Amino acid sequence: MEGGIQPVESSAFRDCFSLAWKNPYVLRLAFSAGIGGLLFGYDTGVISGALLYIRDDFAAVDRKTVLQESIVSMAVAGAIIGAAVGGFMNDRIGRRKSVLIADFLFFIGAVIMAAALNPLMLIVGRVFVGFGVGMASMTAPLYISEVSPPKIRGALVSTNGFFITGGQFLSYLINLAFTRAPGTWRWMLGVAGLPALLQFFLMFYLPESPRWLYRKGKEDEAKAILRKIYSEDEVEGEIDALRDSVETEIKEEGSSEKINITKLFSTKSVRKGLIAGVGLQIFQQFTGINTVMYYSPTIVQLAGFASNQTALLLSLITSGLNALGSIVSIFFIDRTGRKKLLLISLAGCVVSLGLLTAVFHETSTHSPLVSGVETSKFDGLTCPDYQAAASKTWSCVTCLKASSDCGFCASTIDKLSPGACLISNSTVRDECHKDHRLWYSRGCPSNFGWLALIALALYIIFFSPGMGTVPWIVNSEIYPLRFRGICGGIAATACWISNLIVSQTFLSLTEGIGTAWTFMLFGIVALIGFNFVLIFVPETKGLPIEEIEKMLEQRTTQLQFWKKSSEQNDKA
């Protein structure tokens, strides 16, 4: 067994700080690998702001929602391939080399995007970035998990989650910094290559995972690294446990090198682990988090804020809350436990998504009317669809839904007073601004905008500490050593496929059924996810990997989950 069972204490967070003082080597490994999360987070956040300016530079992108969704989601499509291939590469060539390859691919993608001459080049660059992000997303937490002592494994793997949310926050700062710079979005996307370069050089001088090395027969190298991670009184027990674990695997499989795919699905512990791990990744995406991260400025504009700069600034607040939530996760993950955090997180998401549904419903049903008098002030600029239906009563919502070629110019008196329905292009937008009016092409003026932001912030506050980080932690520790790479790859692939579906359909859903009903769908999924966690996800805090495998072998479906830590320690 990989180490003895260790009682879980409430001081795990303090233990991390103690470890930083006593053995900074472990933190160096964790933080260097965690930069993979920064790549993940930066790419997620930066495209939401860059898209506002890409639309301005490429008329085809501005006119076609499908093209906007493709620019966003092609990175996710690349990540699906990266995660799938990364699972096999992790087992074949190791965790460290997989990270190095991911960094190289990400850097190439960033360069292509920054130099893009047309939307097609942007999409190609996004695919390369996706390859890197997909590989890094499953490799980074896996590497951290395998170099972390069980007692603080959750807290250290949570640093990867902090890097993800920190990368998102950093991307919004970068977006704001380049809003007035020549080339805006090129700088935003090009800067993404810097974290990849940083991690490449850091990981180049770091060792491979000791558990992977031991399984590949490089026992001396593995022991040398383990002695740097564990104290003298712990290291021999850890080495003996690892030896027993690998010998058991070899006896069961007949070979320490070959992964039997049939055995993967026929082994009870692996199958149950996959149900829990893959299910968590799917629910993580279908509760809508990456629609918020990819399209946060667009959502802010849908709530009634017209300015690109204002949308980016307000999105920075939600991104900051997301980063703060990941810090909360580091504190509670080894204290409260994985399952409790997940359930609290999903319950909060249900409430906040319900509030978002109500707010956007009110926004769409109380939008300002279109005035023929106001529209006629812009001679020759009237939206053709409005001219064709001049006898009907239109609102701002009707104007924007009529065609992507229509925009709403608010009244000079009050943004909620009747305004003009005009042709939507940069020239007309500038004419509207000259008259000291606000221009709307994504959402309509509303008094409920701030309430939408509060609901969005509430959603982030609940999502980030639980559903934001815990699925990655569970997937880094729930599988046996012999299947850890491939199972992690399967779960990460499921995550990115779900991400692709959500990101590729979000704007189309908001246009087809409305923003309110779109958020209601996410809320229903969060409610289903709550019940899934209650039934299928075990508590793994403080347990060595091999003990988790034994627990899954014996476990039956149970609804009880809120156990006192003293009970857990007695069982240990």
Side-chain angles (χ1 to χ4, degrees), residues 19 24-37 140-141 143-145 147-148 152-153 155-160 163 199 203 206:
L19 182 67
Y25 181 73
V26 176
L27 287 185
R28 179 187 168 196
L29 298 179
F31 276 87
S32 297
I35 297 176
Y143 181 89
I144 297 171
S145 175
V147 299
S148 302
I152 58 170
R153 184 177 62 237
L156 287 179
V157 178
S158 288
T159 61
N160 184 65
F163 272 108
Q199 186 180 43
M203 291 298 296
L206 290 181

Side-chain angles (χ1 to χ4, degrees), residues 137-212:
S137 68
M138 57 82 53
T139 306
L142 180 59
Y143 181 89
I144 297 171
S145 175
E146 292 187 342
V147 299
S148 302
K151 189 176 180 182
I152 58 170
R153 184 177 62 237
L156 287 179
V157 178
S158 288
T159 61
N160 184 65
F162 172 71
F163 272 108
I164 293 173
T165 56
Q168 290 166 343
F169 183 73
L170 176 64
S171 72
Y172 284 117
L173 287 177
I174 296 294
N175 282 347
L176 280 172
F178 289 114
T179 52
R180 299 190 183 278
T184 49
W185 60 268
R186 297 184 185 277
W187 285 103
M188 295 173 182
L189 299 177
V191 167
L194 296 181
L197 275 180
L198 175 62
Q199 186 180 43
F200 185 91
F201 285 111
L202 288 175
M203 291 298 296
F204 192 81
Y205 295 102
L206 290 181
E208 180 54 79
S209 160
R211 284 167 171 77
W212 183 86

Side-chain angles (χ1 to χ4, degrees), residues 171-307:
S171 72
Y172 284 117
L173 287 177
I174 296 294
N175 282 347
L176 280 172
F178 289 114
T179 52
R180 299 190 183 278
T184 49
W185 60 268
R186 297 184 185 277
W187 285 103
M188 295 173 182
L189 299 177
V191 167
L194 296 181
L197 275 180
L198 175 62
Q199 186 180 43
F200 185 91
F201 285 111
L202 288 175
M203 291 298 296
F204 192 81
Y205 295 102
L206 290 181
E208 180 54 79
S209 160
R211 284 167 171 77
W212 183 86
L213 287 171
Y214 200 100
R215 182 166 172 75
K216 293 298 180 180
K218 302 178 180 180
E219 298 181 12
D220 291 339
E221 290 182 52
K223 290 177 182 179
I225 298 167
L226 287 171
R227 288 191 173 94
K228 293 182 179 180
I229 295 173
Y230 292 90
S231 60
E232 291 184 8
D233 58 335
E234 294 175 329
V235 68
E236 291 304 325
E238 190 68 23
I239 293 172
D240 291 341
L242 184 56
R243 181 188 303 111
D244 293 342
S245 175
V246 172
E247 288 176 354
T248 300
E249 293 169 14
I250 295 173
K251 187 182 297 182
E252 290 179 358
E253 301 297 327
S255 171
S256 63
E257 296 292 330
K258 187 177 179 180
I259 295 176
N260 191 323
I261 301 298
T262 303
K263 189 76 172 180
L264 181 88
F265 295 102
S266 63
T267 303
K268 185 177 180 181
S269 61
V270 179
R271 186 173 64 252
K272 287 188 174 182
L274 279 172
I275 291 172
V278 171
L280 282 177
Q281 295 289 26
I282 291 173
F283 281 110
Q284 181 192 62
Q285 296 305 313
F286 278 97
T287 50
I289 182 58
N290 277 322
T291 63
V292 175
M293 292 297 104
Y294 288 136
Y295 298 108
S296 184
T298 302
I299 293 172
V300 170
Q301 290 182 335
L302 288 171
F305 296 90
S307 165

Side-chain angles (χ1 to χ4, degrees), residues 370-383 386 419-422:
V370 174
S371 165
V373 174
E374 288 291 316
T375 302
S376 64
K377 292 179 180 179
F378 296 87
D379 187 36
L381 301 179
T382 304
C383 172
Y386 177 66
C421 185
L422 308 175

Side-chain angles (χ1 to χ4, degrees), residues 216-532:
K216 293 298 180 180
K218 302 178 180 180
E219 298 181 12
D220 291 339
E221 290 182 52
K223 290 177 182 179
I225 298 167
L226 287 171
R227 288 191 173 94
K228 293 182 179 180
I229 295 173
Y230 292 90
S231 60
E232 291 184 8
D233 58 335
E234 294 175 329
V235 68
E236 291 304 325
E238 190 68 23
I239 293 172
D240 291 341
L242 184 56
R243 181 188 303 111
D244 293 342
S245 175
V246 172
E247 288 176 354
T248 300
E249 293 169 14
I250 295 173
K251 187 182 297 182
E252 290 179 358
E253 301 297 327
S255 171
S256 63
E257 296 292 330
K258 187 177 179 180
I259 295 176
N260 191 323
I261 301 298
T262 303
K263 189 76 172 180
L264 181 88
F265 295 102
S266 63
T267 303
K268 185 177 180 181
S269 61
V270 179
R271 186 173 64 252
K272 287 188 174 182
L274 279 172
I275 291 172
V278 171
L280 282 177
Q281 295 289 26
I282 291 173
F283 281 110
Q284 181 192 62
Q285 296 305 313
F286 278 97
T287 50
I289 182 58
N290 277 322
T291 63
V292 175
M293 292 297 104
Y294 288 136
Y295 298 108
S296 184
T298 302
I299 293 172
V300 170
Q301 290 182 335
L302 288 171
F305 296 90
S307 165
N308 283 357
Q309 285 80 9
T310 302
L312 286 172
L313 183 61
L314 293 176
S315 298
L316 183 64
I317 297 173
T318 60
S319 179
L321 289 172
N322 200 22
L324 180 63
S326 63
I327 297 176
V328 172
S329 177
I330 294 173
F331 180 80
F332 283 106
I333 191 67
D334 286 316
R335 181 178 184 180
T336 303
R338 284 70 159 146
K339 191 161 187 171
K340 293 178 187 177
L341 276 183
L342 287 170
L343 291 169
I344 293 170
S345 177
L346 285 165
C349 286
V350 171
V351 173
S352 53
L353 287 167
L355 182 56
L356 278 168
T357 299
V359 169
F360 277 103
H361 176 73
E362 287 298 307
T363 299
S364 63
T365 55
H366 293 82
S367 68
L369 297 174
V370 174
S371 165
V373 174
E374 288 291 316
T375 302
S376 64
K377 292 179 180 179
F378 296 87
D379 187 36
L381 301 179
T382 304
C383 172
D385 296 84
Y386 177 66
Q387 281 182 324
S391 61
K392 298 181 180 179
T393 301
W394 275 35
S395 68
C396 171
V397 170
T398 314
C399 175
L400 298 187
K401 282 190 174 182
S403 169
S404 59
D405 294 327
C406 294
F408 183 79
C409 186
S411 170
T412 55
I413 301 171
D414 182 350
K415 68 179 183 178
L416 296 178
S417 298
C421 185
L422 308 175
I423 299 170
S424 180
N425 58 45
S426 58
T427 302
V428 178
R429 180 191 63 202
D430 293 340
E431 286 296 319
C432 179
H433 287 160
K434 283 180 184 177
D435 207 13
H436 302 289
R437 299 167 181 254
L438 292 175
W439 174 255
Y440 295 87
S441 60
R442 300 292 160 190
C444 292
S446 170
N447 280 334
F448 300 102
W450 288 105
L451 189 55
L453 288 179
I454 291 172
L456 200 60
L458 189 64
Y459 170 78
I460 293 294
I461 288 170
F462 276 106
F463 184 92
S464 181
M467 286 301 290
T469 57
V470 177
W472 297 105
I473 295 171
V474 170
N475 274 286
S476 72
E477 63 189 7
I478 202 170
Y479 309 115
L481 175 60
R482 62 191 178 278
F483 294 124
R484 206 168 298 165
I486 190 171
C487 287
I490 291 171
T493 302
C495 171
W496 288 109
I497 290 174
S498 303
N499 189 324
L500 176 63
I501 294 170
V502 173
S503 61
Q504 184 67 29
T505 59
F506 176 70
L507 292 181
S508 297
L509 278 173
T510 59
E511 291 182 356
I513 65 175
T515 309
W517 290 105
T518 301
F519 280 116
M520 176 175 281
L521 283 176
F522 293 148
I524 292 171
V525 172
L527 185 60
I528 297 171
F530 182 92
N531 290 282
F532 173 84

